[in-house]
Amino acid sequence: MKRKKAVIALGGNAILRDDASALGQQKAIASSAEYLADLIEEGYELVITHGNGPQVGNLLLQQMAANSKNNPAMPLDTCGAMTEGAIGYWLQNALDNVLDRREINKKVAALVTQVEVSAKDPAFTNPSKPIGPFLSETEAQEEALRSGATFKEEAGRGWRKVVPSPLPISIRESSIIEELLEEGVVTIAAGGGGVPVVRNNEGDLQGIEAVIDKDFASQTLADLIDADLLIILTGVDYVYINYNKPNQTQLKDVTTNELMTYIDQGQFAAGSMLPKVSSAILFAENNPKRKAVITSLNHLSSAIHQGEGTWVSKEKKN
């Protein structure tokens, strides 16, 4: 029997809720691991991806606070790898524990993942992803002169550094991830969208200051390993049009063409639902016989068994 292969992208609430301490995040992850174990118990071969936005932001603050000649702050790509490793460890540990308790004979591995992007991606000429602390206009101007960084104002909150958010073109470790899945290993990969790398003039890969959207990285990985299902978890049970308006409507079974029409109407917020919807569209378009689902962690089981959540396919099911 063919094993069901799924890439599942965890939303931020699966990791960080109210308590940003290591213990608080580990407790949130331990709760999330129970939902993931349900799918593993049902025979899914899982690749788990996750965000790291709050974590890398906090780490950057710590790096800046301790920055000195003898203890220099680490660059963004390295901070991304550090948080990917930390969250990967927490997830691995939590899944090991729940699988052991359920007597499920599965191994778990977390893999720091390099995601290749193009140096010619237009995102590099239009940095848009905010990172780090809020600064006053004067502080932002001084830092821009010192480091060459780009800052943008968020109305009423101050100025923040912005970095490029290029699209992934390849995932260096995708073949390793496939091998792990073949061996039955639950694999945690592409955390925080992975560590962005580009080819330099000598043809070598090198890290770059950028942030890759984790949903696009998850979709790229799902394509590369020929996953049967892409599961994108977020804070709501369904994707909605006219969200938070009197005529709000939930989307259930929807085609990629329908979603693209809604995108043209401006139905999805650029910083939240739009990348999730766009990633689901790409996966379904690239794999016409396969589907993506967008739902919440709490509704994961009912999405799989009762078809709840927003299911995206290239064509309407019969």
Side-chain angles (χ1 to χ4, degrees):
M1 184 178 69
K2 184 180 183 295
R3 294 179 297 177
K4 297 168 286 187
K5 190 189 303 181
V7 172
I8 182 166
L10 295 181
N13 65 341
I15 303 167
L16 178 60
R17 293 169 189 169
D18 299 323
D19 184 354
S21 69
L23 182 59
Q25 293 182 76
Q26 285 172 297
K27 285 182 177 179
I29 286 172
S31 173
S32 301
E34 298 286 348
Y35 293 94
L36 300 174
D38 290 341
L39 287 188
I40 295 167
E41 200 164 20
E42 293 176 19
Y44 280 88
E45 299 293 343
L46 286 190
V47 177
I48 302 163
T49 68
H50 60 82
N52 71 341
Q55 293 81 6
V56 79
N58 289 341
L59 180 57
L60 285 167
L61 287 174
Q62 295 164 8
Q63 293 285 314
M64 291 173 63
N67 185 37
S68 68
K69 182 178 179 180
N70 294 325
N71 185 30
M74 293 293 105
L76 179 58
D77 61 315
T78 301
C79 289
M82 292 164 71
T83 53
E84 184 182 1
I87 297 169
Y89 151 63
W90 291 338
L91 272 168
Q92 183 176 345
N93 179 261
L95 280 168
D96 278 338
N97 287 333
V98 69
L99 294 175
D100 285 348
R101 284 197 301 271
R102 297 192 189 189
E103 298 183 343
I104 300 171
N105 185 25
K106 278 281 192 180
K107 301 297 183 185
V108 185
L111 186 65
V112 173
T113 312
Q114 300 176 94
V115 178
E116 189 171 354
V117 301
S118 170
K120 297 180 181 179
D121 191 300
F124 287 109
T125 61
N126 182 31
S128 60
K129 183 70 173 179
I131 62 169
F134 287 96
L135 302 178
S136 68
E137 184 174 5
T138 299
E139 290 171 329
Q141 289 173 345
E142 290 174 351
E143 181 61 24
L145 286 172
R146 188 190 66 80
S147 66
T150 301
F151 288 81
K152 291 185 179 180
E153 185 182 16
E154 292 190 27
R157 303 184 71 187
W159 294 71
R160 290 182 79 189
K161 179 179 177 178
V162 289
V163 297
S165 186
L167 291 173
I169 58 175
S170 182
I171 294 180
R172 298 293 300 173
E173 292 77 18
S174 61
S175 62
I176 299 171
I177 293 166
E178 283 191 287
E179 291 175 15
L180 288 169
L181 289 178
E182 285 297 317
E183 294 297 322
V185 178
V186 179
T187 306
I188 302 159
V195 182
V197 295
V198 296
R199 295 281 180 187
N200 62 21
N201 292 334
E202 288 73 42
D204 294 331
L205 289 171
Q206 65 178 44
I208 193 165
E209 187 168 85
V211 173
I212 300 170
D213 184 273
K214 73 112 168 49
D215 296 312
F216 284 119
S218 302
Q219 170 263 317
T220 301
L221 179 56
D223 281 340
L224 288 169
I225 67 171
D226 194 24
D228 300 291
L229 180 63
L230 173 62
I231 305 168
I232 300 176
L233 299 181
T234 185
V236 292
D237 303 334
Y238 291 85
V239 177
Y240 293 86
I241 55 172
N242 304 314
Y243 186 59
N244 275 341
K245 297 178 181 178
N247 59 340
Q248 170 180 292
T249 304
Q250 62 182 211
L251 302 179
K252 295 183 179 180
D253 290 299
V254 61
T255 67
T256 56
N257 283 338
E258 288 170 335
L259 282 178
M260 285 187 277
T261 298
Y262 293 137
I263 289 174
D264 290 340
Q265 295 172 359
Q267 288 284 353
F268 310 120
S272 56
M273 190 56 74
L274 181 59
K276 302 178 194 312
V277 169
S278 298
S279 300
I281 289 171
L282 284 170
F283 180 73
E285 287 281 328
N286 294 339
N287 301 267
K289 295 181 180 179
R290 296 173 172 82
K291 293 185 177 184
V293 59
I294 303 172
T295 191
S296 66
L297 181 66
N298 292 340
H299 276 67
L300 177 58
S301 179
S302 55
I304 297 299
H305 295 109
Q306 284 89 45
E308 293 191 21
T310 299
W311 286 83
V312 181
S313 58
K314 188 171 174 60
E315 298 176 353
K316 284 284 190 186
K317 66 181 181 181
N318 295 326

